[in-house]
Structures are given as C-alpha cells and as structure tokens.
Amino acid sequence: MDAEQTNLLQGTLDLVILKALALEEMHGLGISRRIEQITKGTFQVKPGSLFPALHRMEEAGWLSSAWGESENNRRAKYYRLTKTGRRQLGAETKRWSRVSLAIKRALEAS
Amino acid sequence: MRLFSIAKSFFQSLFRRRQVDAELDDELRSTIDLLADEKVNEGMLPEEARRAARIELGGVEQVKEKVRAVRAGAWLATLLQDVRFGLRMLRKNPGFTAVAVLTLALGIGTTASMFTIVDGVILKSLGYSHAERIVTIDTHWTDSHPTIHSVTGGDLEDIRDASGCFDTFSFYDGGEFGVQLAHSAEFVGIYEVDPEFFNVFQVPPLAGRAFVASDTGGVAVVSLGFALRNFGSASAALGQTAKIDTTAYQIVGVMPPSFQFPRQAQMWAAVSPVPQNKNRTSYNYHAIARLQSAKSLAVVNARLLSIANRLAAAFPDSNRDKTFTAVPLQQELGAPVRSTLLILLGAVGLVLLIACANVANLMLARSAGRRRELALRAVLGAGKTRLILQLLSEGMILALAAGLVGIALAMLGTRALLALGAKFLPAPLLGDIHFDWRVLAFAVAVTFLTSILFGIAPAYCATRVNLQDAIRQGGSHGTLGASRSRLRDSLVVSQIALALLLAVSATLLFRTMLALRSAALGYRTQGILVAYAHAPARTLLEALGAGRFFDSLFARLRETPGVISVAGAMGMPAGQYGSNGGFAIEGKQKWCGDGPGCDYRTYPHAIFALASPRYFATMSIPLTRGREFNDADLYDSPFVAIVSESLARQYFPNEDPIGHRIFCGFDATGKWMTVVGVVGDVRQDSPAAQPGPELYMPVRQHPYMGNELQVVVRTSGSPEALIPAVQQTIHEMDPDVAMKFTTMQDMVTDSISAQHFRAILAATFATLALLLALSGMYAVMSHVTAQRTAEFGLRSALGAQQANILRLVMGGATRLAIIGVIAGALLSLFAARLISSMLFGVQSLDAFTYALVIAIVLPVVVLAAALPAWRASRVDPMVALRHE
C-alpha cells in the first residue's frame, strides 16, 4: 500500500498501530513489521507515514515512549500503549466493526 | 493528560527544538541500524545493507520535516523561522526593502489619515451620552420645495407639545453678533437657546450651572475660551455681566471646550420656551431634541407626519404639503461633507491598491530571481504550503514595517487634512477628528489586508515552479514564464488605469476650482476689506442712532489715507448673512404676508440685501439703469429699492421696472417701495451659485436690520494693512461696537472651501498614484530587461542594432501603457459621473480634460521605460553572453 493510500486511511493507520502495540511495547521498525505480519502483508507502513503518526499519537497521549535495548543490543526508542491509548483502541475497534459490518451488509444487499 | 502532553510538545518545539530534533535524529538512525541488521541477517553484506536501509527509509530530512509538521506549535516554530529568514532576505536587499516599505507606507498613511476624517465626521458617534438619540427637525415639502433645516415658531410648539416622543426638546437661533463687556466689545457666536438646551446634550458645565426652567432671560452661559479671554478664568466669569444689543445678561455658567454646539458658539443666552415669533412662514428656529429611549426614529417620524397632516388641514395657507422629519444630529452635521469625504476615501483606497500592485510586482520580480532558491527548498522537503507561508510572512514583515511608518505618516497627514479642511469640515465635529485606537485598528487591518493583497501573487507563482526546469535554468537568467509575465503586465496595466482614473477626476475637480476662481462674480474682490461691525440697538430710537453712527463712520473712514471708497451692506455676496423670501409687485400680486388669503409660495422669490449709498460703486457692481441709493434715502423718506437684472428680466419682462412698487416681508417696517434702479447680477452664496433675482433696500430705511453691517472699505493697497486704522477709528467712535475683519478675497475663498478641499486632495492623490504607476512601470521594465540581458547580448552579437533593441523594449512598454490608458479612460467615465454634481464650468465628459490627461500620462509612463530600454540597448554582447 503506497503512502497516498495510507493517507486516505489515516484512521485505519492509527487503529493498526494501536492494535500492533496491544500486546507489548515495540520500536518503530518492530511496529512496521508487526503490522505487515498481522495484516498478512496488506499494509506496508513506510517510515514517512509511520513516524509522523507515532509522534502525533504520542502527543495525543495514546502512546508513551522510552529508550531501550533491542534483541541485538541496539539502542532503540520503544513505544507502548498508555491507559488512554488502550481505551482508544477499544473505542476504535468497536467503531470499525460497526462500520465494516455496515459496509459488508450494504455490499451484500441485493 | 492530553492537554499536558500537547503543552509539553508545544513548549519543546519552541524552546527545546534542538534536543527534540536530536532525539528524532537518534530514533531514525537507530531505525536504519535495525533495518540494516535485518538485511544482514537475510544475507546482505554490511555496506550494502546500510545503503539499502537508507533507501527503504526514504529521505531522512523529509521524514523529519513530516514529523515536525504534525507537532503542536509546529506552525509557530515555522513562523518564527520564516520571520527570521524573511528578515534576513529583506536586510540583504535594502534597496528593495526601502522602496517597498515606503510605497506601502504612503498608501497606508494616506488611507489612514483620510479614514481619521471620515471616522470623526461620519462613523464615530458624537461625544454626548446616547448621542444617537439627539435629533434635529427639518421642514420639507412633498412637492419640489427644498428642505429647510429649521422650523417655524408655530410649528415648533405643535411638534413639541403633541409628539410625546421626546425626553427633552429645545430650540436655538443665532449667529455671530456683538457682545459688550465692561471695557470691550467682542464679535462672537451667540445663540439664544431655551432653558432645556443643555439637557438635550446632557453635558454638565465646567463651572457654575446650566439653565433651569425659570431661566427665560437675563442669564447666559459662555464657553471656556470666552471666559479665559475676558475674565482670566472660568470662576472669575461667573456673576459677570455681558450685554447684547443693550440687554444685560448675567453669566451663570461656563461650558467645557469639548462642547462646541452650535457652530462657533461662545455664548448661550437663555430665552423663553415660548417662541417669540409664532407664525408658520418664518423658519427662525432650529429644533433639537432627545428621543425617548423606547421610541425609534421611524416611530417619531410617523408621529411627525401625522402632526404635519393635521397642521396642513388646519392652516392650508402656510402648511399645505409641508412635513417634518427628525434627523439624527450627527447625520445632519455630516450631510454637507459626506459624499465628498466618501469619494475621497475611495480615491485614497485606489492609491493604496496601486501601492499594493507596485509591491506585488517588486516581489514577483524578486521571486523570479529566487526561483532556484525556492526550488531547492522544495526539493529539500518544504511543502507548497510551507513556501507560500514563507513568502506571505516576508510580505507580512514588509507590511508591518510599512504600517509603522504609515501610522506616523497618518498622524502628520491628519494634521494637514485638518488644516486644509478647517473651513470645510463641520465645526462642531472638528473636536472628534483625531488619531485614536479606532484609526490604529483600521491601520492595522489595512496593513494585514495589503500584505495579503501584494503577497498572494508571488506566493501563487512560487507554487507553480517546475523544480527541474528551475534548477536547470540556473536561477535568474532563464526565460520568462509566460503566466508570470502576464500577471506582471496586468498589474502594470491596472496601475496605469487606476492612476489615469484618479488623474481625470482630479483634473475635473481642479478645473472646477479654476473655473470658480475665474468665474465672473459680478463684483470686485481685489483691494476690499470687510469689517463685520455690530452697533448695539434694540429700540427704534437706538436702531436709528446706529444708522447715523454708521454713516458718520463711513465719512471718517473715507478720510483715512489709502482708502478709495467706503460703504456698508447687510447680506454681501459670499458673506455669512443673507435673507430671502417672497415679494409682491403692485398690480400683479396681492400682499397679505403670512396672513390668510394668500398662498405664500406663489409670490415671486428673491434674495434680500441692504445697501448704503455708494455700495454698488465700491463693489464695482454696475448700475445699468436709474440711480444708486443716496444720503436722502432715510427712514422718513419715501421707501425705495433697487433690483438686479435677473429680477428685472424675470418679473418685468418687456417693461421698465423703474417706478413700479414692490412689497416684501423683509422686516417689520414693511412699506411699498419704489424701484429706482437696476444693477448687475452677482453670484450670491459663492462663485458656484447661479446669479438670480435680488432685491436691494437702503440700510437707513430698515433700521432694525441695519445695526449690524458689513463695512466695505476699498483700497488701492493691501486690504489687511488697513485693519489697524479701521479698528482704531471704530473704537474711538464707539467702544461698544464689536467687530471682526476679513477680506472680500478671503470670503470668496472660504465660500468655495469644499471645492478647494476636493481639488487639492484629489490632485495630491492623483499625483501620488501617477508616481507609483511610473515607478511600477520602471521597476518592471528594468527587471524584464535585466532578465533578458543574455537574449539582448545574443541579438546584438547576431547583428541587431541598438535601435532595434530599444524599439523592442519600448514597444512592449508602449503596448502596456496604451492598454492601461484605454482601460483607465473607460473607468473614468464612471468615476466622472460620480462626481458630476461637484463640477462647475466643466462637463464630466469634458473631451479636453481626457485629452490633456492622456497626453500627459501616456508619454510619461512610456518614458519610465526609456532608461531600462536604453541600458539594455547598450549591453556589450560579450559581457551579456559571459553573464550566462
């Protein structure tokens, strides 16, 4: 998915980032890989979209960050969900299910 | 939480920008490392892996720029950066900056000073509490009769008693008269007002008291200026006595200097609330009232209409078709100057537009030279919005600097306008015209508006830069983009068009003034000193005495060295006083004055004036038939009159008026008067007035009107030089006679102060506009030729002559100038129609004016292109080509 399309789906990008971070804290690249993995390669989030989104979400209070060590002993900045972020994930998930169900129904209607 | 993190981020992006940026750098670098590790694990060589990781991340700077853009406060940081950058750019080009700031400052300054006047006269409410509820009452007629800004005594009482719409209701009447103090006499503005007068305005006195209901005579309130001049202080004036026409008034109060109503008032004398003259045909009283807060103007006017209808039915002779309207005081005061001021504000707005176009053009020219810089910034990750913002903020800095200079200019300009308009602007409003926060707010708003107006075009162009072309072409030497040059050309064309419009209007107004200056007035203006003199008199005996006094004064003055002749009059042309009304010709009309039986409006109408013997000779008003008044035309002699040629022509067609008898309601001592002479017409109110029927009567036969005269002294030298001698003679003869001096020349000049004000300002604005258009043309042509240096060098290397290149450049300039002039001429047709009612002696479609203006503007504008063209033609082909 190229940058322009990701832009069109900004709400979606936020949702998948929140989802990716739901289990554990992760650095930027890790989040990107995790999203590829959980969407089975449908979303490839480029750094040009990922980092602005991370910083925006941190500013919104959904994420917090701290420097840590990666598996292969590299310094990296790790992001994790805050309480607000977790709430946001719940709310977004509900909203998205509702929307996707509605769209599905609409498309299946004869 | 959220608010806190936003605040933190805001703070950080402002003050800890460097740390935040460094942290972002670290994060991105570590991401590259992680990516590289991944790729090494997949089997890449470490070097190769790092390269691939960098490519996958994309431009580090672009990512950083995008992250910065989403931060809170990012806009502010950007703005600060832009401002810093803008300041640096402006400092690097002091010439450009100075020209742009000065151009804009002139535009903003003139606009703000004109606005100061408009605000004080039209927009700002008067300085009284709830001033919007103060109204005056006009009389007008449902047929074609002109509106009169006063009411009759009879109508006034009905309006006051029956309307039920007013909190307070008062009236006043007066003008400039003599007032006698213990040791001196002064000629000042004196108004008789009823005791409610000050309650209408709700302005408390500075010292003493205002009037109370029992004050129906014998007491007066004076202005602070009057008190200081004559008694030393406000409190010293209290209890003092001043006499008007032998009646004594005790001063009970002093008004603050801010209270200036009516015009030039320095003394307000209390009179009974019952009008002295209760007839319904003499419009002697100015009514002024304060509306009840619950009553709207519409309600009041509906009520006035029903009163008028009732009166029309009850008194058809005097009140048929007559009605009354309440007009807010501010509107009434501003009405005579309103259209002039608005038109001048429009003119000054056009000057501002031209200034904006000028600066826009300068910025366009400069941004063309900066294309490579802008393109480079775009390549390095600056978005379009970012570039536009940067250019706009540069514009904003220019505008701010210009605004500051402009405000300083406006303060000076306002002073100049006030000096120029001292005679033209309504005196009671002059105190309200000054530089204040309203003008400041206006200037700031105009400043921002201009920065957008002139910043938008360059910014728009910046977004249309084709990056590759811009960089490849090597900056400023590239060929001109077609759309950019078209934009610049149209800016120049509109500047020329607007300047031409202003020049045409200014020329029309200026020719009006010249026509007024050279109009045949019907009387001489050179070498005439006019002394307004007031000899106190109330009874018939005193008034007859005043008449004798003036005759002996004339005789004494005739002996003064340098004096050619002396006379007296009441109702001189261009003077302060005048009277007019209906008259009857024996055998043609029945005279019943304002009594029942005659329709007042069917009488022939004339201007009335009093004249002493030798008046017409002194004023060089030609006597065409019969005789002048002579020393035998006294109160107990047969009453006589002299008529103007217009009156003779209009009311005595095909017969000789001499010997006919005329009656008019000029004063209480009316008798049938025999016409003894016919004199030439004069333009009465001002040189702009049409000569009309005029009826002259001997001063000595109308003593009640003859104790205040304009003494006319004709001299071979300078009239002002005679003032001390005349003053001394009058004072020696009677120290109680109050006087003031002017010259016939000044009276005429004052009477055309409106035309003068308009002409001078319009000419100033037009000159400014033309200069701006000139510099606009010059700037554009020099820039165009500079950009085409290489092309010209090539052309001359290939054999083009200097003349060819000169023709090429001048041809382009001439084309722009011609289009501008044609557009301007078309626009002028509309503008001229707007001012057609202000013209005299010249038609709004005057071909000569158009030809004259075009003949000046066209060559001058084309010449502005000559210097750059000449420079271009002299370019050395080697230098030009190496330039590239």
Side-chain angles (χ1 to χ4, degrees), chain B residues 782-802:
Chain B
S782 16
H783 196 80
V784 167
T785 51
Q787 279 202 317
R788 290 169 72 182
T789 304
E791 181 201 325
F792 293 146
L794 199 62
R795 278 173 192 267
S796 58
L798 292 178
Q801 300 293 305
Q802 277 192 18

Side-chain angles (χ1 to χ4, degrees), chain B residues 137-141 146-152 155 159 283 322-325:
Chain B
I137 291 170
D138 285 351
T139 306
H140 58 100
W141 283 264
T147 296
I148 296 184
H149 302 291
S150 52
V151 290
T152 64
D155 295 339
I159 292 170
Y283 296 85
K322 182 160 59 168
T323 97
F324 315 105
T325 351

Side-chain angles (χ1 to χ4, degrees), chain B residues 736-795:
Chain B
D736 276 348
V737 171
M739 57 194 140
K740 73 162 189 178
F741 293 92
T742 179
T743 64
M744 197 64 239
Q745 198 77 61
D746 284 350
M747 285 163 67
V748 172
T749 306
D750 288 354
S751 73
I752 53 171
S753 59
Q755 289 90 343
H756 187 77
F757 188 77
R758 285 196 284 258
I760 298 287
L761 284 188
T764 310
F765 298 157
T767 311
L768 212 54
L770 210 53
L771 284 177
L772 289 175
L774 276 188
S775 74
M777 182 66 142
Y778 173 81
V780 163
M781 289 325 280
S782 16
H783 196 80
V784 167
T785 51
Q787 279 202 317
R788 290 169 72 182
T789 304
E791 181 201 325
F792 293 146
L794 199 62
R795 278 173 192 267

Side-chain angles (χ1 to χ4, degrees), chain A residues 33 55 59 74-75 77 79, chain B residues 5 9 27 37-38 72:
Chain A
R33 294 290 173 256
H55 282 255
E59 217 164 64
R74 293 251 183 221
R75 229 169 78 82
K77 197 175 181 187
Y79 291 90
Chain B
S5 66
S9 164
E27 185 177 6
D37 286 351
E38 235 178 53

Side-chain angles (χ1 to χ4, degrees), chain A residues 27 29 33 46-48 51-52 54-56 58-61 65 67 70 72 74-77 79 82 84, chain B residues 1-2 5-6 9 23-24 26-28 30-31 33-35 37-38 56-57 63 66-67 70-72:
Chain A
H27 53 63
L29 187 65
R33 294 290 173 256
K46 293 237 170 100
F51 286 102
L54 287 175
H55 282 255
R56 181 166 42 75
E58 184 179 2
E59 217 164 64
S65 68
W67 287 91
S70 76
N72 35 13
R74 293 251 183 221
R75 229 169 78 82
K77 197 175 181 187
Y79 291 90
T82 61
T84 334
Chain B
M1 176 64 196
R2 187 190 148 88
S5 66
I6 288 180
S9 164
E23 202 179 315
L24 184 57
D26 282 350
E27 185 177 6
L28 291 177
S30 93
T31 307
D33 289 345
L34 289 167
L35 256 173
D37 286 351
E38 235 178 53
E56 192 175 327
L57 188 76
V63 174
K66 278 184 180 169
V67 172
V70 301
R71 290 178 186 282

Side-chain angles (χ1 to χ4, degrees), chain B residues 681-721:
Chain B
D681 284 332
V682 299
R683 294 182 187 270
Q684 181 67 20
D685 288 342
S686 84
Q690 285 306 312
E694 191 146 0
L695 183 62
Y696 296 92
M697 294 159 268
V699 172
R700 294 292 301 269
Q701 291 186 341
H702 301 268
Y704 285 115
M705 296 295 186
N707 70 317
E708 178 171 323
L709 289 187
Q710 290 144 335
V711 181
V712 189
V713 184
R714 180 161 148 205
T715 165
S716 48
S718 143
E720 283 94 346

Side-chain angles (χ1 to χ4, degrees), chain B residues 799-815:
Chain B
Q801 300 293 305
Q802 277 192 18
N804 296 120
I805 291 175
L806 202 61
R807 207 177 306 133
L808 184 73
V809 177
M810 293 303 280
T814 311
R815 199 174 56 88

